[in-house]
Amino acid sequence: MAAPTNSDDAFLADLGIKPELSRRMGPFGNFAISFSVICILAGGMSLFGFGLGHGGPVVMLGSWIVIGFMTLLVGLSLADVVSAYPTSGGPYFMADKLGGPRWGWVTGWLNLLGLLGAIAGIDYGAAAFAGAFAQLQWGITPTDGSTMTIFGCILLLHGLLNSAGVRLVNLLNSISVYWQLIGVAVIVGALTVAPAKHQSASFVFTHFHNDTGFSSPFYVALIGSLLAGYTFCGYDASAHVAEETTDAQMSAPRGIVRSIWVSWAAGFVLLAGLLFAMQDYAATQNSATGVPPAQIFLDVLGASGAKALLLVVIVAMLFCGNAEVAAASRMVFAFSRSRALPGWQSWRIVNDRTKTPTRAVWFVIVVPFVLALPALWSPAAYGAITAINAVGMTPAYGIPIYLALRKGRAYQSGRWSLGRWRKPIGVIAVAYVAVITAVFCLPQSTPITTDSFNYAGVTLLAALLLAWGTWLTRGKRDYQLTAAHTAQRSEAMLEGF
């Protein structure tokens, strides 16, 4: 049974935070937002073509198992810290509490840029899938301009839905869980029972395919693991809505862990189902729709079946983007509450009627649209900007875990705790975060050209320079984790006179 709201609010007050948001989200809703953001029907589908060229079936399924397990360890470790600090700020608040303001500032900027890049990537991907559907249904050939227009409409829809309040967001996230799980069952079931040939188990579990230009199978397997690496992001959403969740010290960490293992299991079934049903490897990779899974649907089920399943995927992507907007807006609200963003006075305002940070919602709608505009001229430029998604968010998860480990016995866990397993799991989690972040930055094909260059490393470096530069120019002067910290600093200054 959930703890009374006033207990949650009292705990927030102990952390120096004045409760302002509407606490209408229960344990299932908290799990649902992270599950919706991970969204295997978005990541698994969008990156399916990448996986086919970067190792093929054996790497796609093998890395899904390994990366999913390692992500679960990171999630367990992060959940331990979230229980101690269940606030909308998520990783940056934890990092500040455990390591000081500079750690909090850098973590906050990495997390924020990652969230904004995620919205751009998710909703632009949904627009691309919508374009593929339009081509199948009406024969309309997608263009960069039409995709950008659809992308803008999707962002506008998500802004309106999130402005209505957390109750609607919670309802949509709950529907999203069932939509995704039933959707996976429907897709895999339809592809399985259709009267078409199926690939052998040997092909699905052992076939290696390499279009990267690199000769090392190990290296290809490393970069091929990014199908899973990019998909397993965003589970910090459970932390960002903690101030709107009942019994947050238990519900938020449980939401993180459950969202990972459920996505892990369902995603494996989805990928295996698609691989068993694939009819022609090369034709799937070079599909005229631009969406390899859509080609599998076409080959196995025909146009009508393909359109129906494509709609299932598109709706799941819309749910995913909507949940990401909710999480990112809470991050903007909290970071502004700490005076970290330019114009923070505006972004931290909460709507009196909906108890939602409405202005922060529109902040995270406009910025991703601007970030995606370079796609009109250069896919490489767009990829460089949205690459901050994983390379920003993943280190932001590892930093508070590392700082909690560094605290040693001085660290006080919350009600949800790993206990004696916290240190060994935490050490593995931090090491994994370092390794996967480096893998995110590796070249993904050769020869390396302007279009094929992996800009993730450059983007991460730019994000770190931005964080450090803004810390020197305004963070040291303005940043305060909470109003209570502001008061403490004022008192300390007065005592000095």
Side-chain angles (χ1 to χ4, degrees):
M1 183 176 180
T5 300
N6 59 0
S7 298
D8 290 305
D9 291 347
F11 190 79
L12 268 188
D14 289 341
L15 293 175
I17 295 174
K18 176 185 175 182
E20 297 179 82
L21 304 179
S22 178
R23 203 177 287 274
R24 293 178 176 271
M25 190 173 289
F28 183 81
N30 187 278
F31 148 73
I33 190 170
S34 282
F35 182 75
S36 298
V37 170
I38 293 174
C39 193
I40 52 176
L41 284 175
M45 291 291 192
S46 298
L47 294 164
F48 189 81
F50 174 88
L52 291 178
H54 292 72
V58 64
V59 172
M60 294 168 75
L61 292 180
S63 65
W64 187 269
I65 294 172
V66 174
I67 298 295
F69 177 71
M70 298 306 295
T71 303
L72 184 60
L73 297 185
V74 176
L76 285 165
S77 298
L78 186 65
D80 190 297
V81 190
V82 168
S83 183
Y85 305 105
T87 74
S88 297
Y92 97 84
F93 190 96
M94 308 172 212
D96 189 302
K97 281 286 191 178
L98 295 169
R102 280 178 293 185
W103 281 105
W105 182 271
V106 172
T107 304
W109 276 100
L110 287 175
N111 192 209
L112 175 62
L113 293 171
L115 287 165
L116 295 173
I119 294 171
I122 292 165
D123 282 357
Y124 194 85
F129 268 69
F133 177 84
Q135 185 178 35
L136 291 175
Q137 179 66 29
W138 301 292
I140 300 174
T141 301
T143 65
D144 292 338
S146 65
T147 302
M148 186 62 66
T149 301
I150 297 171
F151 172 60
C153 292
I154 292 173
L155 284 172
L156 179 62
L157 172 64
H158 288 160
L160 294 172
L161 291 173
N162 275 271
S163 296
V166 72
R167 178 179 291 180
L168 178 59
V169 171
N170 188 40
L171 173 63
L172 293 173
N173 289 335
S174 299
I175 296 172
S176 171
V177 172
Y178 296 106
W179 185 273
Q180 284 198 63
L181 293 178
I182 295 173
V184 168
V186 169
I187 290 171
V188 174
L191 295 177
T192 301
V193 302
K197 71 171 185 176
H198 289 80
Q199 299 291 343
S200 66
S202 175
F203 170 83
V204 171
F205 295 108
T206 66
H207 182 71
F208 180 83
H209 186 91
N210 178 18
D211 291 330
T212 66
F214 295 108
S215 59
S216 168
F218 175 75
Y219 184 84
V220 174
L222 271 182
I223 55 179
S225 69
L226 294 183
L227 183 158
Y230 280 120
T231 302
F232 282 111
C233 280
Y235 45 87
D236 59 318
S238 288
H240 291 303
V241 295
E243 292 180 35
E244 297 159 275
T245 303
T246 56
D247 196 19
Q249 291 183 73
M250 297 296 290
S251 298
R254 286 172 175 169
I256 289 173
V257 175
R258 191 193 303 179
S259 69
I260 294 171
W261 74 256
V262 174
S263 298
W264 186 22
F268 183 86
V269 172
L270 176 65
L271 290 177
L274 288 168
L275 290 169
F276 271 113
M278 185 165 52
Q279 303 297 296
D280 185 304
Y281 209 105
T284 301
Q285 286 184 288
N286 302 302
S287 174
T289 66
V291 177
Q295 190 62 47
I296 296 176
F297 299 160
L298 278 169
D299 292 341
V300 177
L301 302 169
S304 297
K307 287 183 284 188
L309 295 190
L310 207 54
L311 276 178
V312 171
V313 176
I314 292 169
V315 172
M317 289 179 163
L318 294 178
F319 279 130
C320 175
N322 193 66
E324 190 71 84
V325 167
S329 63
R330 273 52 173 185
M331 168 60 194
V332 168
F333 160 74
F335 215 30
S336 298
R337 185 170 60 190
S338 297
R339 305 183 179 188
L341 291 177
W344 61 267
Q345 299 94 332
S346 179
W347 315 127
R348 58 105 50 231
I349 292 176
V350 176
N351 185 286
D352 290 333
R353 181 177 60 85
T354 62
K355 297 299 180 183
T356 297
T358 308
R359 296 189 183 184
V361 168
W362 290 104
F363 179 97
V364 304
I365 293 299
V366 173
V367 173
F369 184 77
V370 174
L371 289 177
L373 283 177
L376 289 171
W377 302 280
S378 170
Y382 167 71
I385 293 170
T386 56
I388 191 58
N389 175 11
V391 293
M393 294 173 77
T394 304
Y397 303 159
I399 290 171
I401 298 171
Y402 161 73
L403 294 173
L405 290 173
R406 195 179 70 166
K407 276 277 187 181
R409 295 184 178 180
Y411 168 73
Q412 295 184 349
S413 60
R415 287 167 48 212
W416 193 98
S417 173
L418 293 174
R420 62 190 178 92
W421 291 100
R422 185 175 65 83
K423 184 173 181 179
I425 291 177
V427 169
I428 297 172
V430 170
Y432 166 74
V433 166
V435 170
I436 196 65
T437 301
V439 173
F440 282 135
C441 301
L442 293 174
Q444 296 174 358
S445 63
T446 186
I448 298 173
T449 65
T450 303
D451 289 333
S452 66
F453 183 75
N454 182 6
Y455 290 90
V458 176
T459 308
L460 176 59
L461 178 61
L464 290 171
L465 290 174
L466 173 65
W468 192 247
T470 53
W471 169 257
L472 294 176
T473 55
R474 58 184 303 274
K476 291 173 67 174
R477 181 186 71 244
D478 299 333
Y479 174 70
Q480 294 293 333
L481 186 62
T482 66
H485 284 74
T486 305
Q488 290 169 6
R489 173 180 280 191
S490 299
E491 291 174 4
M493 292 176 64
L494 290 173
E495 289 175 0
F497 282 102

